[in-house]
Amino acid sequence: MSIAGTLAQTIEQRSAAHPKPDARLTYGTAGFRTKASLLESTCFRIGLIGALRSKSLGGKTVGLMVTASHNPEEDNGVKMVDARGEMLEASWEPICTAIANAATGEELVAELNKVVEQKSIDLSVPASVVYAYDTRPSSKPLAEAMVDGLGAFDTNVTDGGLLTTPQLHYLVLALNTQHEAQPYGSPTTEGYYAKLAGAYMSLMKGRPAPPPLIVDCANGVGTVSLKGLLAHLRDALVLYPVRTAVGQTGALNNGCGADFVKSKQRLPEGFEHEPNVHPGELLCSFDGDADRIMFYYLVGPATDPANFRMLDGDKIASLAADHLGELVHAANLDVNIGCVQTAYANGASTTYLEQRVPITCTPTGVKHLHHAAEKYDIGVYFEANGHGTVLFSEKAQRAISEADTSKMSPESAAAIAQLAAFAELINQTVGDAVSDMLMVLVILAMRGWGPREWDATYTDLPNKLVKVAVADRTQFRTTDAERRVTHPEGLQERIDALVAKYPSGRAFVRPSGTEDCVRVYAEAEKPEDVAELASATEALVKEFGA
């Protein structure tokens, strides 16, 4: 079966209404992402691909999300969510790239037919797609172009509307498991809120509510998500959402949000004037589509930048792995727990975790961490930027649900109940700022900790990240989860010689996946050593990249 006749004509006619710009786009970890003005044809075509992907899975629902996450407001993007709520299967990434870059309507149909043949797709199978979008001014029009593509295949389309990216991931898995013996959850946004709120209140039962938490929503869709959650939590949690100017031109991710806090290592702009910002109290920031979270606190007045302390993805991973590991031990379950990091993880966090759980290091990109985490019974993964989650394997969930608590000590029975609730609280499809926020608050409450106690578990090594412009980033090739350079030849030996000069020194370089540059990361015991090491490594990259 192939795309021909009336269907081919329909696709070509609709494609002509969404002309392709003179730009080449590549589908990567973040899907397609570029200036919003260049994306209309790509969004139309991802609608076509979404329909084919659903058909290839026997009609299971897949998701399409229009968002550019932490990027500036003028950018946008689109990515696909596979049937289990995970990121798109890797073999479809080059398919997306080829279809997005087909020059004409005829070439587009030809590329689609290649997919139909390659994947043995039965075009008579009804397709099902749910889509959503973030708060950018360009998002809804781009979503409409996507729907035009879906319509070419007469797809069963569900409009999720304005959602966070993690909510769309949740909906896809919930829709596809709603008729199974153990559905993931009710396939609605209210079902999402009810699941998280119910698990949170179960874990917090009998415990004092945590102190009020200021949440920087990055002027994005997390604002809407928090309101929905609070309606279900009632008085169980007090949140003060700020930076909530959804729809205000130029506000999204501007001087605020998780990426700003992480990259600038400072409070969001204007926080020193917020009436509820006080030293010693926990604060957090979402990014624009609420799939990342960054925690932080102050050790003194907000007017002094030196009083800022950051609790990033490494700290979240350490907190989660430590606590869940203790619960597994207390429950006496025959399951393993491990943690996945990238080369960007602070060396102090790796040392801390290695003493508690097995560690896996993967290349940068959430898809790599997610797949590595699936190899553990309970896999914790977080990038330093605050994007991550915890995965409970079928074996782990079965061990928890089938445990005979009547024959256990009260401590073991309580640990089983808590693990079951954590599996409900954590959005296992993808990193979710809202879910991760609740997880952290629960663990801190259970441990009787505030931000200072959490921060004191280990002290981050001073570090620095530098971008170096080069003529051709592709000449830089890496191995060992991007921690060592194989090309240009001789560069790694020079880096090793530099690193050896500094106590606790570490440095690596890797080509950017999205920009024409090479990223240099350096860390050491002393800030002045970090500055020297980063500068010297940057000079080497320029020398070898000339």
Side-chain angles (χ1 to χ4, degrees):
M1 184 179 292
S2 64
I3 297 168
T6 303
L7 177 56
Q9 292 175 3
T10 298
I11 290 172
E12 289 182 28
Q13 289 170 358
R14 293 193 181 202
S15 178
H18 308 283
K20 183 185 179 302
D22 185 19
R24 179 174 175 80
L25 300 180
T26 301
Y27 194 103
T29 299
F32 293 109
R33 189 173 295 182
T34 186
K35 298 301 179 188
S37 58
L38 299 175
L39 274 171
E40 183 182 338
S41 72
T42 301
C43 283
F44 166 75
R45 294 171 183 209
I46 201 75
L48 299 171
I49 301 166
L52 289 182
R53 178 59 178 157
S54 174
K55 290 174 183 289
S56 77
L57 296 171
K60 289 183 178 177
T61 300
V62 299
L64 294 174
M65 183 73 201
V66 179
T67 183
S69 188
H70 59 280
N71 281 38
E73 189 173 286
E74 62 268 21
D75 293 349
N76 217 321
V78 61
K79 54 187 172 184
M80 193 178 303
V81 179
D82 248 341
R84 298 298 298 181
E86 74 275 49
M87 299 174 76
L88 179 63
E89 180 187 299
S91 69
W92 280 73
E93 291 183 7
I95 289 172
C96 292
T97 298
I99 290 172
N101 291 293
T104 65
E106 293 84 355
E107 286 185 22
L108 172 60
V109 172
E111 288 294 339
L112 291 169
N113 271 320
K114 286 182 186 178
V115 183
V116 172
E117 181 179 353
Q118 176 189 345
K119 299 294 185 180
S120 301
I121 298 173
D122 182 353
L123 293 176
S124 68
V125 173
S128 176
V129 174
V130 56
Y131 74 92
Y133 46 88
D134 71 11
T135 59
R136 296 164 197 271
S138 60
S139 289
K140 194 166 184 179
L142 289 175
E144 290 169 354
M146 198 164 62
V147 171
D148 197 26
L150 291 167
F153 281 108
D154 197 23
T155 307
N156 176 21
V157 179
T158 301
D159 178 0
L162 197 63
L163 295 177
T164 69
T165 296
Q167 284 178 314
L168 181 68
H169 282 257
Y170 166 89
L171 279 180
V172 171
L173 182 54
L175 283 165
N176 285 319
T177 60
Q178 61 183 318
H179 301 303
E180 294 182 5
Q182 292 186 322
Y184 187 63
S186 175
T188 63
T189 53
E190 287 302 303
Y192 167 87
Y193 296 131
K195 180 175 182 177
L196 267 57
Y200 174 82
M201 289 190 285
S202 173
L203 286 162
M204 290 296 292
K205 189 175 181 180
R207 293 182 173 85
L213 178 70
I214 289 185
V215 184
D216 159 25
C217 297
N219 297 311
V221 69
T223 304
V224 180
S225 183
L226 271 192
K227 289 180 180 177
L229 176 70
L230 286 172
H232 285 259
L233 286 173
R234 302 183 185 87
D235 299 327
L237 178 62
V238 177
L239 301 175
Y240 294 132
V242 296
R243 305 300 177 267
T244 57
V246 176
Q248 180 177 312
T249 302
L252 182 68
N253 295 319
N254 189 359
C256 57
D259 190 63
F260 177 90
V261 171
K262 175 62 176 175
S263 60
K264 303 295 184 183
Q265 299 196 26
R266 52 161 289 189
L267 289 172
E269 291 179 356
F271 257 45
E272 61 272 20
H273 305 302
E274 290 285 347
N276 294 310
V277 173
H278 305 294
E281 295 182 355
L282 190 66
L283 307 97
C284 69
S285 289
F286 296 171
D287 67 339
D289 67 338
D291 66 356
R292 296 186 188 182
I293 188 168
M294 197 64 51
F295 289 92
Y296 43 96
Y297 71 105
L298 298 169
V299 296
T303 50
D304 185 351
N307 290 325
F308 176 81
R309 298 290 185 273
M310 187 163 59
L311 298 156
D312 63 5
D314 295 339
K315 290 281 187 180
I316 299 171
S318 300
L319 182 71
D322 216 356
H323 189 76
L324 294 174
E326 290 176 6
L327 289 179
V328 167
H329 179 73
N332 197 29
L333 286 180
D334 182 22
V335 298
N336 63 51
I337 179 169
C339 190
V340 184
Q341 296 184 315
T342 70
Y344 287 111
N346 194 278
S349 74
T350 304
T351 299
Y352 177 85
L353 280 164
E354 283 175 337
Q355 298 169 359
R356 290 158 174 81
V357 295
I359 299 287
T360 300
C361 185
T362 74
T364 304
V366 175
K367 65 182 178 183
H368 300 299
L369 286 93
H370 192 96
H371 292 317
E374 289 177 323
K375 295 178 181 178
Y376 294 108
D377 296 329
I378 299 177
V380 179
Y381 75 83
F382 277 86
E383 291 186 299
N385 62 24
H387 192 177
T389 189
V390 182
L391 305 181
F392 289 75
S393 68
E394 287 187 15
K395 175 187 173 183
Q397 296 193 65
R398 188 167 56 250
I400 293 167
S401 64
E402 294 177 358
D404 188 353
T405 54
S406 67
K407 298 178 181 178
M408 293 181 176
S409 67
E411 180 188 27
S412 294
I416 288 289
Q418 289 171 23
L419 284 168
F422 272 115
E424 288 289 298
L425 178 68
I426 296 164
N427 186 341
Q428 297 182 49
T429 62
V430 73
D432 183 340
V434 174
S435 171
D436 291 339
M437 175 191 74
L438 296 176
M439 177 187 71
V440 165
L441 292 177
V442 167
I443 294 175
L444 292 179
M446 287 182 165
R447 299 173 91 80
W449 286 1
R452 290 176 185 268
E453 290 82 3
W454 178 15
D455 199 18
T457 51
Y458 64 84
T459 301
D460 278 329
L461 289 168
N463 59 89
K464 189 173 183 180
L465 181 62
V466 181
K467 287 198 302 186
V468 186
V470 293
D472 178 16
R473 73 177 188 268
T474 63
Q475 68 177 304
F476 291 83
R477 285 175 263 165
T478 64
T479 188
D480 188 23
E482 301 178 319
R483 291 176 289 190
R484 297 187 66 79
V485 181
T486 59
H487 295 80
E489 293 183 3
L491 175 56
Q492 187 59 54
E493 289 76 9
R494 298 279 295 277
I495 294 174
D496 290 342
L498 277 177
V499 168
K501 297 178 181 179
Y502 303 100
S504 300
R506 183 168 72 96
F508 67 89
V509 304
R510 58 175 289 271
S512 169
T514 56
E515 302 175 68
D516 286 323
C517 70
V518 170
R519 302 189 191 279
V520 172
Y521 177 88
E523 67 182 29
E525 280 187 8
K526 300 176 182 178
E528 57 269 28
D529 288 349
V530 170
E532 286 183 12
L533 179 56
S535 178
T537 307
E538 178 181 359
L540 285 178
V541 170
K542 290 178 178 177
E543 176 186 336
F544 279 80

